[in-house]
Amino acid sequence: MTQNYIIFTAGGSGKRMQSEIPKQFIPVAEKPLLMWAVESFEAVIPDLNKLIVIPENHIALWKDLCRQFNFKTEHQVVSGGQTRFHSVKNAVEIIKGDGLTGVHDGVRPFPSEGTILKAYQAAEKYGAAVPCVDSTDSLRQVKAGESHIIDRSEIKRIQTPQVFHTKLLKKAYQQEYQDTFTDDASVVESLGTKIRLTEGNEENIKVTRKMDLRIAVMLAEFYK
Amino acid sequence: MTQNYIIFTAGGSGKRMQSEIPKQFIPVAEKPLLMWAVESFEAVIPDLNKLIVIPENHIALWKDLCRQFNFKTEHQVVSGGQTRFHSVKNAVEIIKGDGLTGVHDGVRPFPSEGTILKAYQAAEKYGAAVPCVDSTDSLRQVKAGESHIIDRSEIKRIQTPQVFHTKLLKKAYQQEYQDTFTDDASVVESLGTKIRLTEGNEENIKVTRKMDLRIAVMLAEFYK
């Protein structure tokens, strides 16, 4: 039987938000962001195997939160590595089979049903798929101290889940780490694989700044 | 005496949001977005001459709103043109002197004091200045049907107010309209002028989608 996976990255140290608790564990509308993320996938593709990558020193906290919030969704906890690359690599190494594997930011609580399904469907067909949304702002490109207008219709904002044939993702993560690896698509792309873009959703925000957390609270109240 | 100006564009027809009332006129926390925008400038540089460009068929609505919300901030209403370019051109043509002129989206209610001051100060020194913020998402560039990762540190999201030496802006708006004119910086840049980037603020959102309006409500409650 084909096994499909979703890996949640929850390795951020929370430095950028100067909060005591790493942001993936912050509750909004009575549930930590990471639980919102996991339940989004559970609701859409219930038979996905769920791996959550958490830094060693936060695993006890996560287990406490699961008890406290009565979080029953089945999942496996994987210890994080030194960087995001090494964290995902740890999870990829324990995955088996020739199905599909997605990687999702634990601080993106609200991927829509369409975002999740389209990414998995396109990955099945093309090998590698990532959701994106349009740029709503005018954009300028800064090079050598000067800025020039750039056609915003050419620039897409990339989201997660980024989904791949499991075998392709495993091969990609056997590479040496490079500075240009900013997300999983960039790791897979460096093998020469083309990345298919699928339709994301605007509410699928990445909670990194204080303002994002306020927006997440608002969206959670809307969805709960 | 040097005269400085701010032009507010309020020409959107509201089609994108499918709302009956154009979005600049939608009240959030008991005040239409456009009034939030105008008052942001009034609070920071009180002696700016304020021009508001409004489509002919919405001028009566705006005057009604001013009465209804007891809006007393002094301003001059200018009739809008067929496109954003022609609307700004209408306002630019009635401006006089050798001071500075800014152009601000009427649907950006929350430019910060720093955003406004830095743009005017840099424009005074360098001729043309626009506020920007970093890209928080990974970005991909789509060309000829394929997507490639692009270094997000090179790409800045552009905001308003975009501020210029008045004489430069007047000269720029004497050009024929081109499709590449997506904002005022692009109009001025086509004269060969370099655009200085200044620091914007994340809350200075452009309210175009339904979700933006929900975020604006939240920010307005925070600021009021």
Side-chain angles (χ1 to χ4, degrees):
Chain A
M1 188 192 134
T2 307
Q3 301 250 42
N4 295 321
Y5 292 84
I6 179 72
I7 298 168
F8 297 92
T9 59
S13 64
K15 271 181 205 149
R16 216 186 315 190
M17 303 240 300
Q18 283 135 18
S19 64
E20 295 285 315
I21 181 170
K23 51 200 176 309
Q24 60 273 19
F25 302 131
I26 296 177
V28 302
E30 294 161 22
K31 190 157 61 188
L33 290 178
L34 179 55
M35 293 182 190
W36 278 98
V38 175
E39 291 185 355
S40 295
F41 285 81
E42 176 74 4
V44 174
I45 314 179
D47 62 349
L48 278 180
N49 292 290
K50 297 173 195 73
L51 303 183
I52 305 183
V53 192
I54 298 181
E56 195 77 53
N57 61 332
H58 290 140
I59 291 177
L61 169 61
W62 171 247
K63 292 190 169 167
D64 279 350
L65 289 170
C66 287
R67 275 187 294 274
Q68 188 185 332
F69 289 93
N70 198 26
F71 184 70
K72 299 289 189 199
T73 307
E74 204 179 319
H75 66 276
Q76 180 177 351
V77 171
V78 179
S79 289
Q82 260 201 305
T83 67
R84 188 186 182 287
F85 176 87
H86 297 96
S87 290
V88 175
K89 186 179 168 78
N90 287 356
V92 167
E93 281 175 352
I94 61 175
I95 283 177
K96 299 180 205 101
D98 55 1
L100 300 171
T101 298
V103 186
H104 186 71
D105 295 325
V107 290
R108 288 193 192 265
F110 311 117
S112 70
E113 181 177 347
T115 296
I116 294 169
L117 286 179
K118 285 171 197 163
Y120 274 85
Q121 285 161 357
E124 185 158 35
K125 195 163 174 188
Y126 301 105
V130 305
C132 70
V133 289
D134 290 339
S135 298
T136 48
D137 296 298
S138 288
L139 301 174
R140 299 183 76 82
Q141 186 162 23
V142 179
K143 275 196 169 171
E146 288 189 14
S147 77
H148 300 278
I149 191 124
I150 183 166
D151 182 354
R152 74 175 170 199
S153 70
E154 285 180 1
I155 306 290
K156 302 295 176 185
R157 291 152 48 211
I158 300 303
Q159 303 184 331
T160 67
Q162 302 192 344
V163 189
F164 311 93
H165 283 170
T166 298
K167 286 183 173 173
L168 177 63
L169 189 64
K170 284 179 90 80
K171 188 174 167 202
Y173 270 93
Q174 282 161 10
Q175 299 173 92
E176 289 291 310
Y177 174 74
Q178 297 174 32
D179 280 349
T180 52
F181 292 165
T182 55
D183 61 0
D184 304 287
S186 60
V187 180
V188 170
E189 188 173 36
S190 75
L191 296 179
T193 306
K194 282 176 192 161
I195 307 296
R196 192 85 184 184
L197 297 182
T198 58
E199 190 186 346
N201 62 295
E202 284 293 345
E203 299 81 1
N204 187 16
I205 59 167
K206 186 172 184 179
V207 179
T208 48
R209 305 156 303 165
K210 276 208 171 119
M211 184 176 141
D212 300 324
L213 194 59
R214 297 206 299 263
I215 296 170
V217 169
M218 178 195 74
L219 289 169
E221 292 294 334
F222 188 79
Y223 286 125
K224 83 173 178 186
Chain B
M1 191 191 129
T2 307
Q3 301 251 40
N4 295 321
Y5 293 84
I6 179 72
I7 297 168
F8 297 93
T9 58
S13 63
K15 270 180 208 151
R16 215 184 319 187
M17 303 241 298
Q18 284 135 16
S19 63
E20 295 285 316
I21 180 171
K23 52 200 175 309
Q24 60 273 16
F25 302 131
I26 296 177
V28 300
E30 295 162 19
K31 191 157 60 187
L33 290 177
L34 179 55
M35 292 182 190
W36 279 97
V38 175
E39 290 184 356
S40 296
F41 284 82
E42 177 74 4
V44 175
I45 314 178
D47 62 349
L48 279 180
N49 292 289
K50 298 174 195 73
L51 304 183
I52 305 183
V53 192
I54 298 179
E56 194 78 52
N57 60 333
H58 291 140
I59 292 177
L61 169 62
W62 171 247
K63 290 190 170 167
D64 278 350
L65 289 169
C66 287
R67 274 187 295 273
Q68 186 184 334
F69 289 92
N70 198 27
F71 185 70
K72 299 290 192 198
T73 307
E74 205 179 318
H75 65 274
Q76 181 177 349
V77 171
V78 178
S79 290
Q82 261 201 305
T83 67
R84 187 185 183 288
F85 176 87
H86 296 97
S87 289
V88 175
K89 187 180 167 78
N90 286 356
V92 167
E93 281 176 350
I94 62 175
I95 283 177
K96 299 181 205 101
D98 56 2
L100 300 171
T101 298
V103 185
H104 186 72
D105 295 326
V107 289
R108 287 193 193 266
F110 311 118
S112 70
E113 181 176 347
T115 296
I116 295 169
L117 286 178
K118 285 171 195 162
Y120 273 87
Q121 285 160 358
E124 183 157 36
K125 198 164 172 187
Y126 301 105
V130 305
C132 69
V133 289
D134 290 338
S135 297
T136 49
D137 296 299
S138 288
L139 300 174
R140 298 183 77 82
Q141 187 163 22
V142 179
K143 276 196 171 170
E146 289 190 13
S147 77
H148 300 277
I149 190 124
I150 183 166
D151 182 354
R152 74 175 170 199
S153 70
E154 284 179 0
I155 306 289
K156 303 294 177 186
R157 291 151 50 209
I158 300 303
Q159 304 184 329
T160 68
Q162 303 193 343
V163 189
F164 311 93
H165 283 169
T166 298
K167 286 183 173 173
L168 177 63
L169 189 63
K170 284 179 89 80
K171 190 175 165 199
Y173 271 92
Q174 282 162 9
Q175 299 173 91
E176 288 292 310
Y177 173 72
Q178 297 174 30
D179 280 349
T180 53
F181 292 165
T182 55
D183 61 0
D184 306 287
S186 61
V187 180
V188 169
E189 190 172 35
S190 75
L191 296 179
T193 305
K194 283 176 190 159
I195 308 295
R196 192 87 184 180
L197 297 182
T198 58
E199 190 185 346
N201 61 295
E202 283 293 345
E203 298 82 2
N204 187 18
I205 59 167
K206 187 172 182 178
V207 179
T208 47
R209 304 155 304 164
K210 277 207 172 123
M211 183 174 140
D212 301 324
L213 194 59
R214 298 207 298 262
I215 296 170
V217 169
M218 178 195 75
L219 288 168
E221 292 294 334
F222 187 80
Y223 285 125
K224 84 174 178 186

